[in-house]
Every structure is written in C-alpha cells, then in structure tokens.
Amino acid sequence: MTTPFRSPAGAATVFSTDQKIRVGSLDALRSSRTVFLGRNVFGGVHWLPPSSSSSSSIQAVSTPAKPEAAKPTKRSKVEIIKEKSNFIRYPLNEELLTEAPNVNESAVQLIKFHGSYQQYNREERGGRSYSFMLRTKNPSGKVPNQLYLTMDDLADEFGIGTLRLTTRQTFQLHGVVKQNLKTVMSSIIRNMGSTLGACGDLNRNVLAPAAPYAKRDYLFAQETADNIAALLSPQSGFYYDMWVDGEQFMTAEPPEVVAARNDNSHGTNFVDSPEPIYGTQFLPRKFKIAVTVPTDNSVDLLTNDIGVVVVSDENGEPQGFNIYVGGGMGRTHRMESTFARIAEPLGYVPKEDILYAVKAIVVTQREHGRRDDRKYSRMKYLISSWGIEKFRDVVEQYYGKKFESPRDLPEWEFKSYLGWHEQGDGAWFCGLHVDSGRVGGNMKKTLREVIEKYRLDVRITPNQNIVLCDIKSEWKQSITTVLAQAGLLQPEFVDPLNQTAMACPAFPLCPLAITEAERGIPSILKRVRAMFEKVGLEYEESVVVRVTGCPNGCARPYMAEVGLVGDGPNSYQVWLGGTPNQTQIARAFMDKVKIQDLEKVFEPLFYNWKLGRQAKESFGEFTTRMGFEKLKELISTYEGSPQ
C-alpha cells in the first residue's frame, strides 16, 4: 500500500490555495548555460511506467551574450555580503585577527558557512559576553572514535563542559571564545571531523538512519547520504584556508561523486568557477536532505527539502530511490504567508541517477529560489508558488530525464534504536536516550570512559540520542552496568514521554529564543505524566512532545502530537495533530498559552482522548478527527476527571 502523507485537513500542505508568494530570480546567478523555461515541454502527466527505460535528453540553451535589459532584482543584505566575500572569506579573515571579542555583521553571516554562530549570554547584564557555537558535519550521524574523544576534550578545555547532540545528527559545542576558534576548528579537522557547511546557505548535514545494521538497504542509504554530502560540499577551499592555513584534509571521493559534480550536460554548473554548483552566491537559504529505507522514519523524512528513500527488489537489492521535495519547518508568528510544510512525492530514479537528480533539484532552487526576502527563500516556497508539476518540469530539464512514478511503500514507523540490538555482523549496538541531547556531568564522563576503553565508534540519531557501535557480546553486561550508574538507562527504565520528546537549546545563548525550551521541557514532561495519571492513562501510553523557544522549528515541533512553540515570555503557541510516525503535519491550535496554564488546556484533552478514542488511535489522530472547534468546547466545559 502507499503511505499517505497528509495534513489534518487531508491536503499535502498547510498553506491556503489562494496564497500568492512571489518567487524572484537573480540574473547574476545564472549558470553558464540556462534552461529555457517556457511552456510545459512535456505536456500534462509526467510519470513513466516503472518498466520504462526511455529517457528524454534535454538540450540546455546558452545564455544570450547580450540579454535584454531587465529591471534589477532586489537582493537581501546577505546576498550582497556573499557576493563581496571572495567565496566566504572576506571580511571574516580580517575580523578573526582583531582584538575584539566578536566579529562584525558581515563576518557573522559568513562564519555560518564555516559551521559557527556568534552568540552571547542573554541573561547577563551590564554588557555582552560573546562566544561562538560550533556545529559539526556528520553524514548519517557517524562519529569515529577519535573525533568523539576530541569533541569531549574540546568541550572541557574550550567550551562550557557539555556536548549537545542535535536533531540533525551532529554535535554542537557552545561557549568557544573568538581567540580559541582556530585552535578548536583545526583540532576538529585534524581528528577526522569537519564543521564545513553545518550552517549557512548551502546543503546542511545529510541525515540517514543511525542504526549500524549490516543490511544492504541500510548500508546503501548511509553510503548514499555520504555521497550526497560530498557532492554538495563546497569546493573553493575557503574553509581550509581559514582554519588550517590552506592544508587540505579531504579524503578521496568516489568517482561517481566527482563525475556528477563535474557533469554540465544540462547547464547546471558554473564553468571555470571554484564553486561549480554553488557559484559566488551559494543557495538562497539553508538546504536539508535526508536518506532512509522503507518503514524507517527515524529521520523525519518529510521535513526536509529533499527526502530520499531506497527502493529494493524482492531479493533486498537496492534498485533506485523515491524522491520527496518541499519540506521545511521554519515560519514567522503572525505572518500567515510563512508556514511549515511537509514534502511531497517528486518521482523515482534508478540508483545510478540519484546524484544527478539531487543536483538538478538543488540547481532549480539555486536558480529560482527567492533572494530578496529570506523569510521566503526556502525551496518549500518555490514549490508552493509553482506547484509540483511545474517544479518537476524544471528539475527534469536540469536532470535530462523524466522522473518515473514513485514506487509504493509500506507504512512508516518512528524508530528510536534505543537499547541493545544485533548489528547482523556478530556485533551489537546500544542506543542511549539523552534528554534534549545534552551530554554533561557524570553522563559525559562515563560515556567517555566506555567509548575510550572499548574503542567504540558512535552515531548520533535525529532524535538527539547516541548509539554505541560494534560492541562484542562479552562486553554487554559490563557496559550496561556502568552506563546505568551514570543515568544512561535501558529504554524500559526511561519514561515513554521522554523517549520521543525533543527541545531546542533556546535560552540563554540562542539569539532567536522567545522563551524556554531545553531548560523547560523536563518540567513540562513531568506535568504531562501527572496529567496522564490523573485521567487514568497507562504509563506505557505516550504522546510526542516537542518544544521550541521560537517559531523557526529546530526541534521540528510542527510534526509533533503536542508542539509547544515559544510566542512570548513563558508563553507558547500550541500545535496539535502530528502523528507518532511523523507523516502528518500539525496545526496551530491556541496562541499565548502561559506555561502555568498547560493543565487547563491539556488535561481535558487527555481525558477525552482516553474516553473517546478509537482502537489504537493516537492522540494526534484523535485531535485531528475531533476538530479544533470541538476540542475547544471540551476544554471550556471540562469539570475535572472523576477520581
């Protein structure tokens, strides 16, 4: 059967059908050969039958030598900074040499491409204490033993003594002062790590299931994630120039990656540019990709700009990929023209074409995504404006072929990979729950001891947890005991609410935070558990709770059954209607709910869910079926649950 991807109202997205979002383009961004985008060149329906081997070669047309005069396109300030930066170098290279504890506004934008954000403690008074957050790039969440130990050391020596596991399978290291940036960056680079492209207007970390299974589809998904990450990695050397004085620390790339990057058969590349895919301007905004296998939605597939799913034959041999496009979480309060959106099907490609298809999608966004207003620069707005048919038309011209019809897939499941699992190669892996991904104190010390003693590689999950890999059977008992003593418990001893919950860092360091998230979620989850007990819900029952300090959606609250999105001091916008397997987007239910009033909203809802749910109906499904008007009536008439 085909898995439905739907909003509560049944549509694939949550924007109004009469919404008009202007998508601008920038002539200066055009690659050396530009595809003519006139009328629909393929006609109506674009699907080819699965057995078809035909392909349409699309000849790109050269850009006219003397194009007609056009009205100058408005550009955002960041676009101008990128243009003048000499491929993300100037003025950051000069700002890093000054005695000031911070860098100027232009350098703040550029250092993001290097994997860092400038921050200050918003709770300090009497001045700003600047520091930098560094984020690593770890495709599939893979962290070699050497890199983990290095990050652990750097957190103590140059950070705030903690490591943070992110929702995109990376580390965040907070509290690094400017004078130590080069030391920290070079240490990461020299110890099998990188922060290149972890932030900024380019492809971010590529997600894939963290489970180290020795299965063909999982291994192929992780290999594909690695190859996509390599394909879309910057090539102009600015990162190594800045942090290791131009010394290169790049491993040999697979020949198929090099071939796909250099291919310009359909006008995708900037000829003779040090950045053949990105050019001087890079992308209009951040770009996110996830790769997975059927049933495994540990990666929140539909929240990404591109979602890629391995399709295998009856013998388990990977044959190709379903591709989904247009997901994205960020939005702005009280601005209905901004919205969260889930990805929709684009088509299917054979496995040898995946890099070319991904590149074609990225180039379509590069050429046509808005660069005048960053609120509307994500690819989801381009697709929402054009519609999926026109978007597919344009991508197919850069790809050089038509997409085939997507293959049917089984239902999705959220998989946490907590606890002990056989890898399939004689070894075991152990998934450990880490509240909000914050590794510190005795937990950090114990993890380091275990990882160092047994020389374990680790993986970070998209749910902010950690997986210890390649564990021999004879080590299991001693590792379990040591970890439990540090509070790293097996899943049967972790509250089910905590196992699926997520929160962003928010205060005190995030400049966008409106209210608490990471520091507030422990109390919120305890209160939800108390409400469950009060209305008679069993301990094993759970809801997916995600909390963010602002509407940018870093912890993907718009996919949660209960999403709390900061909209004022000690206040949240409540979102309801996501599902446990993250295939349905939530909707805004109430604004300005004070933290002290959560019980007034949720106790009536949990009580009525217990009484009125259908068989195996999740809380998110219940809230969608009942409708918001009825839910508000249940809240207003609630007189308390019978004791």
Side-chain angles (χ1 to χ4, degrees):
M1 64 182 296
T2 301
T3 303
F5 298 133
R6 61 198 186 281
S7 71
T13 56
V14 294
F15 53 89
S16 169
T17 54
D18 61 358
Q19 219 161 30
K20 302 295 182 185
I21 300 177
R22 186 176 64 81
V23 179
S25 61
L26 181 60
D27 291 339
L29 296 173
R30 295 285 175 251
S31 54
S32 61
R33 301 169 68 202
T34 304
V35 176
F36 171 69
L37 303 177
R39 64 178 60 86
N40 187 332
V41 296
F42 297 130
V45 179
H46 302 270
W47 303 125
L48 286 176
S51 60
S52 173
S53 61
S54 65
S55 64
S56 298
S57 178
I58 311 300
Q59 179 63 48
V61 214
S62 297
T63 304
K66 294 182 179 180
E68 295 181 10
K71 183 179 179 180
T73 305
K74 179 185 175 184
R75 293 188 293 166
S76 71
K77 184 162 51 177
V78 175
E79 289 299 316
I80 296 169
I81 291 170
K82 288 188 286 187
E83 181 182 51
K84 296 179 177 179
S85 71
N86 185 23
F87 294 98
I88 319 299
R89 292 175 173 86
Y90 174 82
L92 177 59
N93 52 353
E94 295 183 354
E95 285 291 303
L96 291 174
L97 300 177
T98 70
E99 296 296 321
N102 61 315
V103 298
N104 67 19
E105 183 179 357
S106 294
V108 165
Q109 297 302 325
L110 297 180
I111 201 169
K112 295 176 184 179
F113 291 76
H114 296 257
S116 181
Y117 285 92
Q118 180 171 280
Q119 300 179 327
Y120 65 91
N121 190 330
R122 295 173 60 189
E123 294 177 337
E124 287 186 0
R125 297 295 178 260
R128 292 185 176 182
S129 299
Y130 286 99
S131 65
F132 292 79
M133 180 271 283
L134 276 61
R135 182 185 294 155
T136 58
K137 198 94 171 276
N138 308 90
S140 307
K142 295 177 182 177
V143 182
N145 178 271
Q146 180 180 337
L147 178 60
Y148 185 92
L149 299 178
T150 298
M151 296 301 297
D152 184 81
D153 288 338
L154 293 174
D156 290 339
E157 188 173 356
F158 299 106
I160 59 173
T162 66
L163 285 171
R164 196 167 197 282
L165 315 177
T166 78
T167 59
R168 291 204 70 79
Q169 297 184 276
T170 66
F171 287 115
Q172 284 185 177
L173 180 63
H174 292 89
V176 179
V177 297
K178 192 176 89 170
Q179 68 187 36
N180 293 331
L181 270 175
K182 189 167 185 177
T183 299
V184 175
M185 287 284 204
S186 62
S187 296
I188 293 171
I189 294 168
R190 295 177 191 280
N191 287 279
M192 306 176 70
S194 175
T195 64
L196 172 59
C199 323
D201 298 342
L202 71 176
N203 181 54
R204 303 289 187 88
N205 197 51
V206 181
L207 305 188
Y213 285 131
K215 300 177 181 178
R216 279 180 290 182
D217 55 350
Y218 274 84
L219 293 172
F220 191 58
Q222 292 155 4
E223 177 188 347
T224 301
D226 290 343
N227 287 346
I228 291 173
L231 171 73
L232 299 176
S233 182
Q235 299 297 299
S236 53
F238 62 82
Y239 180 68
Y240 300 99
D241 286 351
M242 200 76 66
W243 308 112
V244 288
D245 301 321
E247 188 177 352
Q248 295 293 307
F249 283 80
M250 300 176 70
T251 56
E253 294 181 316
E256 61 267 30
V257 172
V258 177
R261 181 188 298 120
N262 293 338
D263 179 72
N264 197 30
S265 302
H266 304 288
T268 53
N269 288 20
F270 293 97
V271 176
D272 298 325
S273 170
E275 292 291 351
I277 295 178
Y278 290 130
T280 60
Q281 301 302 120
F282 288 77
L283 298 181
R285 202 71 165 75
K286 64 179 126 178
F287 201 89
K288 298 182 177 181
I289 300 175
V291 185
T292 192
V293 301
T295 75
D296 187 336
N297 200 20
S298 60
V299 298
D300 251 353
L301 181 79
L302 302 178
T303 64
N304 290 271
D305 293 273
I306 303 177
V308 178
V309 185
V310 175
V311 177
S312 301
D313 62 18
E314 61 274 11
N315 298 316
E317 186 64 36
Q319 298 298 307
F321 301 89
N322 278 1
I323 299 178
Y324 302 83
V325 292
M329 293 285 96
R331 48 177 288 278
T332 303
H333 282 315
R334 295 174 292 283
M335 192 170 288
E336 296 303 315
S337 57
T338 67
F339 44 81
R341 187 184 195 273
I342 58 174
E344 56 188 304
L346 182 70
Y348 169 90
V349 298
K351 61 183 179 182
E352 61 271 14
D353 283 358
I354 186 60
L355 297 180
Y356 298 89
V358 166
K359 180 181 175 183
I361 297 167
V362 170
V363 169
T364 300
Q365 163 66 354
R366 182 196 75 197
E367 295 290 296
H368 300 285
R370 282 183 64 167
R371 293 180 183 263
D372 61 325
D373 189 335
R374 290 175 67 80
K375 290 193 300 295
Y376 305 108
S377 292
R378 290 291 297 276
M379 193 172 75
K380 64 182 177 181
Y381 295 111
L382 177 65
I383 295 175
S384 297
S385 173
W386 279 3
I388 191 64
E389 297 296 331
K390 178 177 178 180
F391 184 81
R392 187 183 296 115
D393 280 351
V394 177
V395 173
E396 285 173 339
Q397 293 178 65
Y398 288 121
Y399 173 37
K401 301 178 183 179
K402 290 184 179 182
F403 289 99
E404 297 178 27
S405 175
R407 306 306 195 249
D408 287 349
L409 297 176
E411 292 285 346
W412 292 103
E413 302 172 24
F414 168 72
K415 299 188 178 183
S416 70
Y417 297 114
L418 297 178
W420 287 99
H421 304 265
E422 293 188 72
Q423 293 181 179
D425 58 0
W428 293 75
F429 71 87
C430 182
L432 300 169
H433 173 73
V434 180
D435 283 334
S436 297
R438 183 68 67 180
V439 179
N442 193 39
M443 176 199 300
K444 178 174 174 294
K445 177 176 177 289
T446 302
L447 268 177
R448 193 231 167 79
E449 290 172 354
V450 170
I451 291 167
E452 188 169 31
K453 177 179 179 180
Y454 297 98
R455 299 182 181 180
L456 304 179
D457 292 337
V458 307
R459 298 194 183 181
I460 302 169
T461 80
N463 227 50
Q464 302 174 299
N465 296 321
I466 194 166
V467 174
L468 308 183
C469 306
D470 303 317
I471 300 171
K472 294 181 180 180
S473 296
E474 56 266 30
W475 300 344
K476 283 178 60 183
Q477 186 57 54
S478 59
I479 287 176
T480 300
T481 301
V482 171
L483 292 174
Q485 291 170 349
L488 290 159
L489 305 174
Q490 292 303 297
E492 58 267 29
F493 303 112
V494 178
D495 191 317
L497 288 169
N498 292 65
Q499 291 186 31
T500 58
M502 291 201 296
C504 69
F507 286 126
L509 293 176
C510 178
L512 302 176
I514 302 170
T515 193
E516 297 285 1
E518 179 185 340
R519 297 191 306 194
I521 197 171
S523 171
I524 290 171
L525 293 176
K526 288 178 182 177
R527 290 165 65 185
V528 171
R529 176 56 64 196
M531 285 185 261
F532 270 34
E533 293 173 354
K534 185 175 180 181
V535 303
L537 286 164
E538 299 294 330
Y539 177 80
E540 293 76 18
E541 299 186 89
S542 186
V543 296
V544 178
V545 179
R546 294 177 176 178
V547 183
T548 58
C550 82
N552 279 2
C554 293
R556 303 189 287 271
Y558 309 116
M559 302 301 287
E561 295 180 276
V562 174
L564 301 179
V565 179
D567 65 356
N570 299 311
S571 172
Y572 296 92
Q573 185 180 57
V574 174
W575 287 66
L576 301 176
T579 52
N581 65 354
Q582 279 86 59
T583 58
Q584 178 171 289
I585 201 161
R587 291 185 295 146
F589 176 60
M590 282 186 176
D591 295 332
K592 299 290 183 182
V593 176
K594 290 295 184 182
I595 185 69
Q596 64 267 24
D597 294 332
L598 292 181
E599 282 79 3
K600 295 178 183 178
V601 174
F602 287 106
E603 186 181 316
L605 299 183
F606 293 149
Y607 175 69
N608 282 280
W609 174 45
K610 177 179 179 291
L611 289 184
R613 60 187 164 180
Q614 298 174 352
K616 298 184 179 180
E617 186 175 44
S618 70
F619 180 71
E621 292 166 336
F622 169 78
T623 58
T624 298
R625 178 173 61 83
M626 295 298 290
F628 284 2
E629 192 173 320
K630 179 62 176 178
L631 295 179
K632 289 177 181 178
E633 178 187 329
L634 294 175
I635 292 170
S636 64
T637 59
Y638 183 65
E639 296 181 353
S641 63
Q643 295 300 313

